[in-house]
Amino acid sequence: RSGIKSSFIEEISKYLFVNHPVVKKQKLLFENSDICTGLFFSKDTVKTTSKDVDFCICRKKKITVGKDSFFVKIPVVSVECKTHMDGTMFNEVIDTATRLRTSSPDSHNFVLMLWNQVGRDTFTVRRKATFVSEFFALMKKPRNKIEEYNIETKPEVLLAYYNTVSKALDEYFKEYNFPEYGTYLS
């Protein structure tokens, strides 16, 4: 059952965003393997590092250095999909988000899970010290096996997820206006 749950969580994103106006206009791709996390230069060559993620809306770009060329998948939005998230998974999610955001600072990283098992203390301390833009739990943590098997997701959370990712897609392609004075980062 857990495999079906995790597959559902991964697949729902594709169905939610396959016809999104930004995805269509920008000809974005849905990929989950070899998402670029960095470029490294040596005296002879350029190498990339990459990471597999559960779901990613990305752009594919060709990079040419001298006579060598290769393609990289640049994340626009990446999503880690979990049936439930515990402390170990929380650390892995933060590591992945850090690697992706370091190489693609305009990208957004999200977590979509059925329920959260990470405690209040961990979230209180680390929620703002992460490159995860938002965590979405579709239901309360089950109190017993019956509740665990009888999945009752909250549609308002799925709608909030859709709206937040939509805003991230719009923001990624928004033109930056450099002001003469005032605030510069917003």
Side-chain angles (χ1 to χ4, degrees):
R1 286 188 166 224
S2 182
I4 292 171
K5 291 175 191 173
S6 62
S7 294
F8 167 76
I9 297 167
E10 290 176 24
E11 291 296 320
I12 192 88
S13 291
K14 181 177 179 182
Y15 293 110
L16 284 172
F17 297 107
V18 70
N19 290 314
H20 191 280
V22 174
V23 170
K24 294 219 149 308
K25 180 180 178 186
Q26 300 295 334
K27 296 181 173 93
L28 300 177
L29 305 170
F30 296 105
E31 297 282 343
N32 65 348
S33 63
D34 298 323
I35 306 303
C36 186
T37 59
L39 294 173
F40 293 90
F41 301 90
S42 72
K43 63 181 180 178
D44 299 321
T45 187
V46 176
K47 296 287 184 189
T48 63
T49 57
S50 62
K51 179 88 174 98
D52 291 351
V53 297
D54 293 329
F55 175 77
C56 187
I57 301 173
C58 64
R59 304 175 338 154
K60 196 172 191 179
K61 293 288 184 180
K62 185 177 183 179
I63 295 179
T64 303
V65 179
K67 295 179 182 177
D68 298 324
S69 63
F70 53 91
F71 286 93
V72 293
K73 298 172 192 170
I74 302 166
V76 175
V77 168
S78 67
V79 182
E80 288 297 322
C81 303
K82 306 292 180 198
T83 302
H84 66 280
M85 188 172 63
D86 61 19
T88 301
M89 291 177 207
F90 184 74
N91 290 330
E92 291 171 5
V93 162
I94 288 175
D95 177 63
T96 297
T98 301
R99 291 175 64 190
L100 291 168
R101 190 74 182 267
T102 300
S103 67
S104 300
D106 291 329
S107 69
H108 283 271
N109 303 288
F110 300 100
V111 175
L112 180 62
M113 62 188 131
L114 281 181
W115 67 84
N116 177 38
Q117 284 187 213
V118 178
R120 177 184 170 93
D121 291 343
T122 301
F123 260 105
T124 300
V125 171
R126 300 199 54 204
R127 68 190 168 95
K128 293 197 176 180
T130 175
F131 286 116
V132 176
S133 300
E134 188 57 86
F135 296 82
F136 296 91
L138 295 172
M139 61 183 275
K140 294 179 186 176
K141 179 182 172 186
R143 295 175 298 219
N144 54 49
K145 287 292 182 189
I146 293 171
E147 286 183 7
E148 189 174 322
Y149 291 123
N150 294 323
I151 304 299
E152 290 188 34
T153 61
K154 305 294 183 196
E156 62 272 14
V157 177
L158 192 58
L159 180 60
Y161 168 69
Y162 177 82
N163 289 336
T164 304
V165 172
S166 290
K167 184 177 176 185
L169 287 167
D170 289 334
E171 185 181 288
Y172 185 91
F173 292 99
K174 183 180 173 185
E175 190 68 35
Y176 173 67
N177 293 319
F178 185 78
E180 290 185 38
Y181 62 93
T183 60
Y184 288 82
L185 298 181
S186 51

PDB file of all heavy atoms in Angstrom, residues 9-10 12-14 16-17 55 77-79 81 110-112 134 136 138 155-167:
ATOM      1  N   ILE A   9       1.146  10.377  -4.751  1.00  0.00           N
ATOM      2  CA  ILE A   9       1.624  11.708  -4.369  1.00  0.00           C
ATOM      3  C   ILE A   9       2.536  12.270  -5.452  1.00  0.00           C
ATOM      4  O   ILE A   9       2.485  13.463  -5.761  1.00  0.00           O
ATOM      5  CB  ILE A   9       2.334  11.656  -2.998  1.00  0.00           C
ATOM      6  CG1 ILE A   9       1.336  11.240  -1.929  1.00  0.00           C
ATOM      7  CG2 ILE A   9       2.961  12.995  -2.642  1.00  0.00           C
ATOM      8  CD1 ILE A   9       1.972  10.857  -0.621  1.00  0.00           C
ATOM      9  N   GLU A  10       3.362  11.424  -6.061  1.00  0.00           N
ATOM     10  CA  GLU A  10       4.241  11.884  -7.135  1.00  0.00           C
ATOM     11  C   GLU A  10       3.445  12.219  -8.395  1.00  0.00           C
ATOM     12  O   GLU A  10       3.696  13.232  -9.051  1.00  0.00           O
ATOM     13  CB  GLU A  10       5.295  10.825  -7.443  1.00  0.00           C
ATOM     14  CG  GLU A  10       6.324  10.663  -6.356  1.00  0.00           C
ATOM     15  CD  GLU A  10       7.312   9.544  -6.616  1.00  0.00           C
ATOM     16  OE1 GLU A  10       7.507   9.173  -7.796  1.00  0.00           O
ATOM     17  OE2 GLU A  10       7.899   9.040  -5.647  1.00  0.00           O
ATOM     18  N   ILE A  12       0.229  12.996  -8.788  1.00  0.00           N
ATOM     19  CA  ILE A  12      -0.778  14.062  -8.699  1.00  0.00           C
ATOM     20  C   ILE A  12      -0.204  15.388  -9.183  1.00  0.00           C
ATOM     21  O   ILE A  12      -0.888  16.167  -9.835  1.00  0.00           O
ATOM     22  CB  ILE A  12      -1.380  14.179  -7.279  1.00  0.00           C
ATOM     23  CG1 ILE A  12      -2.618  15.073  -7.297  1.00  0.00           C
ATOM     24  CG2 ILE A  12      -0.398  14.751  -6.286  1.00  0.00           C
ATOM     25  CD1 ILE A  12      -3.875  14.362  -7.599  1.00  0.00           C
ATOM     26  N   SER A  13       1.073  15.639  -8.899  1.00  0.00           N
ATOM     27  CA  SER A  13       1.683  16.897  -9.332  1.00  0.00           C
ATOM     28  C   SER A  13       1.715  17.008 -10.846  1.00  0.00           C
ATOM     29  O   SER A  13       1.435  18.080 -11.403  1.00  0.00           O
ATOM     30  CB  SER A  13       3.098  17.024  -8.760  1.00  0.00           C
ATOM     31  OG  SER A  13       3.051  17.198  -7.377  1.00  0.00           O
ATOM     32  N   LYS A  14       2.055  15.929 -11.506  1.00  0.00           N
ATOM     33  CA  LYS A  14       2.093  15.980 -12.970  1.00  0.00           C
ATOM     34  C   LYS A  14       0.717  16.322 -13.526  1.00  0.00           C
ATOM     35  O   LYS A  14       0.588  17.184 -14.395  1.00  0.00           O
ATOM     36  CB  LYS A  14       2.575  14.650 -13.542  1.00  0.00           C
ATOM     37  CG  LYS A  14       2.653  14.665 -15.052  1.00  0.00           C
ATOM     38  CD  LYS A  14       3.200  13.389 -15.610  1.00  0.00           C
ATOM     39  CE  LYS A  14       3.231  13.462 -17.119  1.00  0.00           C
ATOM     40  NZ  LYS A  14       3.702  12.225 -17.725  1.00  0.00           N
ATOM     41  N   LEU A  16      -1.697  17.878 -12.019  1.00  0.00           N
ATOM     42  CA  LEU A  16      -2.078  19.234 -11.634  1.00  0.00           C
ATOM     43  C   LEU A  16      -1.448  20.288 -12.548  1.00  0.00           C
ATOM     44  O   LEU A  16      -2.059  21.318 -12.827  1.00  0.00           O
ATOM     45  CB  LEU A  16      -1.661  19.521 -10.187  1.00  0.00           C
ATOM     46  CG  LEU A  16      -2.511  18.908  -9.091  1.00  0.00           C
ATOM     47  CD1 LEU A  16      -1.852  19.135  -7.733  1.00  0.00           C
ATOM     48  CD2 LEU A  16      -3.915  19.481  -9.100  1.00  0.00           C
ATOM     49  N   PHE A  17      -0.213  20.033 -13.013  1.00  0.00           N
ATOM     50  CA  PHE A  17       0.536  21.091 -13.694  1.00  0.00           C
ATOM     51  C   PHE A  17       0.799  20.854 -15.173  1.00  0.00           C
ATOM     52  O   PHE A  17       1.356  21.714 -15.840  1.00  0.00           O
ATOM     53  CB  PHE A  17       1.852  21.346 -12.955  1.00  0.00           C
ATOM     54  CG  PHE A  17       1.611  21.840 -11.560  1.00  0.00           C
ATOM     55  CD1 PHE A  17       1.829  21.012 -10.475  1.00  0.00           C
ATOM     56  CD2 PHE A  17       1.128  23.117 -11.329  1.00  0.00           C
ATOM     57  CE1 PHE A  17       1.579  21.443  -9.185  1.00  0.00           C
ATOM     58  CE2 PHE A  17       0.869  23.565 -10.050  1.00  0.00           C
ATOM     59  CZ  PHE A  17       1.093  22.731  -8.974  1.00  0.00           C
ATOM     60  N   PHE A  55       9.760  14.864  -8.080  1.00  0.00           N
ATOM     61  CA  PHE A  55       9.028  15.554  -9.138  1.00  0.00           C
ATOM     62  C   PHE A  55       9.720  16.881  -9.396  1.00  0.00           C
ATOM     63  O   PHE A  55      10.094  17.581  -8.451  1.00  0.00           O
ATOM     64  CB  PHE A  55       7.571  15.801  -8.721  1.00  0.00           C
ATOM     65  CG  PHE A  55       6.786  16.605  -9.713  1.00  0.00           C
ATOM     66  CD1 PHE A  55       6.319  16.023 -10.874  1.00  0.00           C
ATOM     67  CD2 PHE A  55       6.526  17.942  -9.487  1.00  0.00           C
ATOM     68  CE1 PHE A  55       5.604  16.765 -11.804  1.00  0.00           C
ATOM     69  CE2 PHE A  55       5.811  18.702 -10.407  1.00  0.00           C
ATOM     70  CZ  PHE A  55       5.343  18.108 -11.566  1.00  0.00           C
ATOM     71  N   VAL A  77      10.800  24.278 -10.352  1.00  0.00           N
ATOM     72  CA  VAL A  77      10.102  23.836  -9.148  1.00  0.00           C
ATOM     73  C   VAL A  77      10.430  22.374  -8.931  1.00  0.00           C
ATOM     74  O   VAL A  77      10.300  21.563  -9.849  1.00  0.00           O
ATOM     75  CB  VAL A  77       8.565  23.999  -9.291  1.00  0.00           C
ATOM     76  CG1 VAL A  77       7.834  23.282  -8.167  1.00  0.00           C
ATOM     77  CG2 VAL A  77       8.170  25.456  -9.351  1.00  0.00           C
ATOM     78  N   SER A  78      10.882  22.033  -7.739  1.00  0.00           N
ATOM     79  CA  SER A  78      11.090  20.624  -7.405  1.00  0.00           C
ATOM     80  C   SER A  78      10.243  20.290  -6.182  1.00  0.00           C
ATOM     81  O   SER A  78      10.008  21.139  -5.321  1.00  0.00           O
ATOM     82  CB  SER A  78      12.567  20.317  -7.144  1.00  0.00           C
ATOM     83  OG  SER A  78      13.000  20.967  -5.975  1.00  0.00           O
ATOM     84  N   VAL A  79       9.782  19.034  -6.156  1.00  0.00           N
ATOM     85  CA  VAL A  79       8.912  18.589  -5.075  1.00  0.00           C
ATOM     86  C   VAL A  79       9.387  17.230  -4.585  1.00  0.00           C
ATOM     87  O   VAL A  79       9.559  16.310  -5.388  1.00  0.00           O
ATOM     88  CB  VAL A  79       7.439  18.472  -5.537  1.00  0.00           C
ATOM     89  CG1 VAL A  79       6.535  18.041  -4.387  1.00  0.00           C
ATOM     90  CG2 VAL A  79       6.953  19.775  -6.165  1.00  0.00           C
ATOM     91  N   CYS A  81       8.166  14.118  -2.602  1.00  0.00           N
ATOM     92  CA  CYS A  81       6.868  13.527  -2.297  1.00  0.00           C
ATOM     93  C   CYS A  81       7.060  12.403  -1.291  1.00  0.00           C
ATOM     94  O   CYS A  81       7.836  11.482  -1.533  1.00  0.00           O
ATOM     95  CB  CYS A  81       6.224  12.992  -3.561  1.00  0.00           C
ATOM     96  SG  CYS A  81       6.030  14.248  -4.847  1.00  0.00           S
ATOM     97  N   PHE A 110       9.601  22.274  -2.716  1.00  0.00           N
ATOM     98  CA  PHE A 110       8.449  21.997  -1.871  1.00  0.00           C
ATOM     99  C   PHE A 110       8.479  20.551  -1.402  1.00  0.00           C
ATOM    100  O   PHE A 110       9.149  19.704  -1.995  1.00  0.00           O
ATOM    101  CB  PHE A 110       7.146  22.241  -2.641  1.00  0.00           C
ATOM    102  CG  PHE A 110       7.000  23.653  -3.127  1.00  0.00           C
ATOM    103  CD1 PHE A 110       7.283  23.986  -4.444  1.00  0.00           C
ATOM    104  CD2 PHE A 110       6.580  24.653  -2.265  1.00  0.00           C
ATOM    105  CE1 PHE A 110       7.156  25.286  -4.900  1.00  0.00           C
ATOM    106  CE2 PHE A 110       6.455  25.962  -2.711  1.00  0.00           C
ATOM    107  CZ  PHE A 110       6.734  26.277  -4.022  1.00  0.00           C
ATOM    108  N   VAL A 111       7.714  20.277  -0.362  1.00  0.00           N
ATOM    109  CA  VAL A 111       7.484  18.914   0.105  1.00  0.00           C
ATOM    110  C   VAL A 111       5.977  18.704   0.110  1.00  0.00           C
ATOM    111  O   VAL A 111       5.232  19.505   0.677  1.00  0.00           O
ATOM    112  CB  VAL A 111       8.052  18.681   1.518  1.00  0.00           C
ATOM    113  CG1 VAL A 111       7.691  17.286   2.018  1.00  0.00           C
ATOM    114  CG2 VAL A 111       9.563  18.873   1.530  1.00  0.00           C
ATOM    115  N   LEU A 112       5.536  17.631  -0.548  1.00  0.00           N
ATOM    116  CA  LEU A 112       4.136  17.220  -0.541  1.00  0.00           C
ATOM    117  C   LEU A 112       4.088  15.844   0.099  1.00  0.00           C
ATOM    118  O   LEU A 112       4.719  14.903  -0.387  1.00  0.00           O
ATOM    119  CB  LEU A 112       3.569  17.185  -1.960  1.00  0.00           C
ATOM    120  CG  LEU A 112       2.107  16.777  -2.104  1.00  0.00           C
ATOM    121  CD1 LEU A 112       1.193  17.770  -1.384  1.00  0.00           C
ATOM    122  CD2 LEU A 112       1.726  16.653  -3.571  1.00  0.00           C
ATOM    123  N   GLU A 134       7.992  25.523   1.108  1.00  0.00           N
ATOM    124  CA  GLU A 134       6.831  25.186   1.930  1.00  0.00           C
ATOM    125  C   GLU A 134       6.679  23.666   2.021  1.00  0.00           C
ATOM    126  O   GLU A 134       7.098  22.940   1.128  1.00  0.00           O
ATOM    127  CB  GLU A 134       5.556  25.790   1.336  1.00  0.00           C
ATOM    128  CG  GLU A 134       4.315  25.663   2.207  1.00  0.00           C
ATOM    129  CD  GLU A 134       4.460  26.274   3.585  1.00  0.00           C
ATOM    130  OE1 GLU A 134       4.224  27.483   3.721  1.00  0.00           O
ATOM    131  OE2 GLU A 134       4.838  25.530   4.525  1.00  0.00           O
ATOM    132  N   PHE A 136       3.702  20.727   2.656  1.00  0.00           N
ATOM    133  CA  PHE A 136       2.261  20.510   2.584  1.00  0.00           C
ATOM    134  C   PHE A 136       1.936  19.104   3.067  1.00  0.00           C
ATOM    135  O   PHE A 136       2.409  18.122   2.483  1.00  0.00           O
ATOM    136  CB  PHE A 136       1.755  20.658   1.137  1.00  0.00           C
ATOM    137  CG  PHE A 136       1.931  22.038   0.581  1.00  0.00           C
ATOM    138  CD1 PHE A 136       3.081  22.368  -0.106  1.00  0.00           C
ATOM    139  CD2 PHE A 136       0.943  22.994   0.748  1.00  0.00           C
ATOM    140  CE1 PHE A 136       3.254  23.640  -0.627  1.00  0.00           C
ATOM    141  CE2 PHE A 136       1.108  24.268   0.234  1.00  0.00           C
ATOM    142  CZ  PHE A 136       2.260  24.600  -0.461  1.00  0.00           C
ATOM    143  N   LEU A 138      -1.186  16.578   3.508  1.00  0.00           N
ATOM    144  CA  LEU A 138      -2.551  16.442   3.009  1.00  0.00           C
ATOM    145  C   LEU A 138      -3.542  15.923   4.045  1.00  0.00           C
ATOM    146  O   LEU A 138      -4.747  15.937   3.812  1.00  0.00           O
ATOM    147  CB  LEU A 138      -2.564  15.527   1.779  1.00  0.00           C
ATOM    148  CG  LEU A 138      -1.824  16.074   0.557  1.00  0.00           C
ATOM    149  CD1 LEU A 138      -1.722  15.014  -0.525  1.00  0.00           C
ATOM    150  CD2 LEU A 138      -2.516  17.317   0.031  1.00  0.00           C
ATOM    151  N   PRO A 155      -8.810  18.599   0.806  1.00  0.00           N
ATOM    152  CA  PRO A 155      -8.717  19.246  -0.510  1.00  0.00           C
ATOM    153  C   PRO A 155      -8.190  20.679  -0.448  1.00  0.00           C
ATOM    154  O   PRO A 155      -7.537  21.137  -1.380  1.00  0.00           O
ATOM    155  CB  PRO A 155     -10.154  19.196  -1.050  1.00  0.00           C
ATOM    156  CG  PRO A 155     -11.014  18.815   0.082  1.00  0.00           C
ATOM    157  CD  PRO A 155     -10.166  18.192   1.128  1.00  0.00           C
ATOM    158  N   GLU A 156      -8.438  21.372   0.667  1.00  0.00           N
ATOM    159  CA  GLU A 156      -7.955  22.752   0.780  1.00  0.00           C
ATOM    160  C   GLU A 156      -6.425  22.800   0.800  1.00  0.00           C
ATOM    161  O   GLU A 156      -5.824  23.780   0.366  1.00  0.00           O
ATOM    162  CB  GLU A 156      -8.554  23.464   1.998  1.00  0.00           C
ATOM    163  CG  GLU A 156      -8.200  22.861   3.332  1.00  0.00           C
ATOM    164  CD  GLU A 156      -9.143  21.748   3.822  1.00  0.00           C
ATOM    165  OE1 GLU A 156      -9.945  21.220   3.024  1.00  0.00           O
ATOM    166  OE2 GLU A 156      -9.047  21.418   5.000  1.00  0.00           O
ATOM    167  N   VAL A 157      -5.792  21.727   1.290  1.00  0.00           N
ATOM    168  CA  VAL A 157      -4.324  21.679   1.295  1.00  0.00           C
ATOM    169  C   VAL A 157      -3.811  21.462  -0.128  1.00  0.00           C
ATOM    170  O   VAL A 157      -2.843  22.097  -0.554  1.00  0.00           O
ATOM    171  CB  VAL A 157      -3.798  20.587   2.253  1.00  0.00           C
ATOM    172  CG1 VAL A 157      -2.279  20.501   2.186  1.00  0.00           C
ATOM    173  CG2 VAL A 157      -4.260  20.853   3.674  1.00  0.00           C
ATOM    174  N   LEU A 158      -4.470  20.592  -0.874  1.00  0.00           N
ATOM    175  CA  LEU A 158      -4.078  20.363  -2.265  1.00  0.00           C
ATOM    176  C   LEU A 158      -4.264  21.642  -3.085  1.00  0.00           C
ATOM    177  O   LEU A 158      -3.414  21.980  -3.912  1.00  0.00           O
ATOM    178  CB  LEU A 158      -4.877  19.207  -2.869  1.00  0.00           C
ATOM    179  CG  LEU A 158      -4.379  18.665  -4.198  1.00  0.00           C
ATOM    180  CD1 LEU A 158      -2.932  18.184  -4.107  1.00  0.00           C
ATOM    181  CD2 LEU A 158      -5.276  17.537  -4.677  1.00  0.00           C
ATOM    182  N   LEU A 159      -5.321  22.379  -2.822  1.00  0.00           N
ATOM    183  CA  LEU A 159      -5.531  23.655  -3.506  1.00  0.00           C
ATOM    184  C   LEU A 159      -4.446  24.661  -3.124  1.00  0.00           C
ATOM    185  O   LEU A 159      -3.922  25.374  -3.986  1.00  0.00           O
ATOM    186  CB  LEU A 159      -6.923  24.217  -3.186  1.00  0.00           C
ATOM    187  CG  LEU A 159      -7.257  25.556  -3.841  1.00  0.00           C
ATOM    188  CD1 LEU A 159      -7.202  25.461  -5.369  1.00  0.00           C
ATOM    189  CD2 LEU A 159      -8.626  26.039  -3.368  1.00  0.00           C
ATOM    190  N   ALA A 160      -4.088  24.713  -1.853  1.00  0.00           N
ATOM    191  CA  ALA A 160      -3.014  25.617  -1.412  1.00  0.00           C
ATOM    192  C   ALA A 160      -1.695  25.237  -2.084  1.00  0.00           C
ATOM    193  O   ALA A 160      -0.925  26.119  -2.498  1.00  0.00           O
ATOM    194  CB  ALA A 160      -2.869  25.573   0.106  1.00  0.00           C
ATOM    195  N   TYR A 161      -1.426  23.941  -2.209  1.00  0.00           N
ATOM    196  CA  TYR A 161      -0.228  23.453  -2.905  1.00  0.00           C
ATOM    197  C   TYR A 161      -0.237  23.938  -4.357  1.00  0.00           C
ATOM    198  O   TYR A 161       0.745  24.506  -4.845  1.00  0.00           O
ATOM    199  CB  TYR A 161      -0.181  21.927  -2.823  1.00  0.00           C
ATOM    200  CG  TYR A 161       0.827  21.266  -3.712  1.00  0.00           C
ATOM    201  CD1 TYR A 161       2.188  21.390  -3.477  1.00  0.00           C
ATOM    202  CD2 TYR A 161       0.411  20.480  -4.795  1.00  0.00           C
ATOM    203  CE1 TYR A 161       3.122  20.762  -4.298  1.00  0.00           C
ATOM    204  CE2 TYR A 161       1.334  19.850  -5.608  1.00  0.00           C
ATOM    205  CZ  TYR A 161       2.686  19.994  -5.365  1.00  0.00           C
ATOM    206  OH  TYR A 161       3.601  19.374  -6.179  1.00  0.00           O
ATOM    207  N   TYR A 162      -1.349  23.732  -5.052  1.00  0.00           N
ATOM    208  CA  TYR A 162      -1.453  24.160  -6.442  1.00  0.00           C
ATOM    209  C   TYR A 162      -1.223  25.669  -6.566  1.00  0.00           C
ATOM    210  O   TYR A 162      -0.467  26.124  -7.422  1.00  0.00           O
ATOM    211  CB  TYR A 162      -2.820  23.783  -7.031  1.00  0.00           C
ATOM    212  CG  TYR A 162      -2.979  24.273  -8.446  1.00  0.00           C
ATOM    213  CD1 TYR A 162      -2.451  23.552  -9.504  1.00  0.00           C
ATOM    214  CD2 TYR A 162      -3.604  25.485  -8.730  1.00  0.00           C
ATOM    215  CE1 TYR A 162      -2.557  24.006 -10.813  1.00  0.00           C
ATOM    216  CE2 TYR A 162      -3.712  25.953 -10.017  1.00  0.00           C
ATOM    217  CZ  TYR A 162      -3.186  25.209 -11.062  1.00  0.00           C
ATOM    218  OH  TYR A 162      -3.278  25.686 -12.348  1.00  0.00           O
ATOM    219  N   ASN A 163      -1.877  26.440  -5.724  1.00  0.00           N
ATOM    220  CA  ASN A 163      -1.747  27.901  -5.796  1.00  0.00           C
ATOM    221  C   ASN A 163      -0.324  28.364  -5.493  1.00  0.00           C
ATOM    222  O   ASN A 163       0.193  29.276  -6.143  1.00  0.00           O
ATOM    223  CB  ASN A 163      -2.740  28.568  -4.844  1.00  0.00           C
ATOM    224  CG  ASN A 163      -4.169  28.449  -5.327  1.00  0.00           C
ATOM    225  OD1 ASN A 163      -4.436  28.275  -6.516  1.00  0.00           O
ATOM    226  ND2 ASN A 163      -5.109  28.509  -4.395  1.00  0.00           N
ATOM    227  N   THR A 164       0.323  27.739  -4.527  1.00  0.00           N
ATOM    228  CA  THR A 164       1.689  28.128  -4.158  1.00  0.00           C
ATOM    229  C   THR A 164       2.680  27.779  -5.262  1.00  0.00           C
ATOM    230  O   THR A 164       3.556  28.582  -5.601  1.00  0.00           O
ATOM    231  CB  THR A 164       2.087  27.449  -2.831  1.00  0.00           C
ATOM    232  OG1 THR A 164       1.123  27.798  -1.829  1.00  0.00           O
ATOM    233  CG2 THR A 164       3.471  27.883  -2.379  1.00  0.00           C
ATOM    234  N   VAL A 165       2.554  26.592  -5.849  1.00  0.00           N
ATOM    235  CA  VAL A 165       3.438  26.206  -6.956  1.00  0.00           C
ATOM    236  C   VAL A 165       3.168  27.096  -8.169  1.00  0.00           C
ATOM    237  O   VAL A 165       4.101  27.510  -8.859  1.00  0.00           O
ATOM    238  CB  VAL A 165       3.303  24.706  -7.286  1.00  0.00           C
ATOM    239  CG1 VAL A 165       4.077  24.350  -8.547  1.00  0.00           C
ATOM    240  CG2 VAL A 165       3.791  23.857  -6.111  1.00  0.00           C
ATOM    241  N   SER A 166       1.905  27.407  -8.421  1.00  0.00           N
ATOM    242  CA  SER A 166       1.567  28.311  -9.536  1.00  0.00           C
ATOM    243  C   SER A 166       2.241  29.663  -9.357  1.00  0.00           C
ATOM    244  O   SER A 166       2.798  30.227 -10.305  1.00  0.00           O
ATOM    245  CB  SER A 166       0.047  28.514  -9.624  1.00  0.00           C
ATOM    246  OG  SER A 166      -0.577  27.340 -10.048  1.00  0.00           O
ATOM    247  N   LYS A 167       2.186  30.177  -8.141  1.00  0.00           N
ATOM    248  CA  LYS A 167       2.834  31.464  -7.853  1.00  0.00           C
ATOM    249  C   LYS A 167       4.345  31.361  -8.067  1.00  0.00           C
ATOM    250  O   LYS A 167       4.970  32.284  -8.606  1.00  0.00           O
ATOM    251  CB  LYS A 167       2.526  31.888  -6.412  1.00  0.00           C
ATOM    252  CG  LYS A 167       3.059  33.240  -6.049  1.00  0.00           C
ATOM    253  CD  LYS A 167       2.666  33.627  -4.634  1.00  0.00           C
ATOM    254  CE  LYS A 167       3.304  34.949  -4.258  1.00  0.00           C
ATOM    255  NZ  LYS A 167       3.052  35.300  -2.874  1.00  0.00           N
TER     256      LYS A 167
END
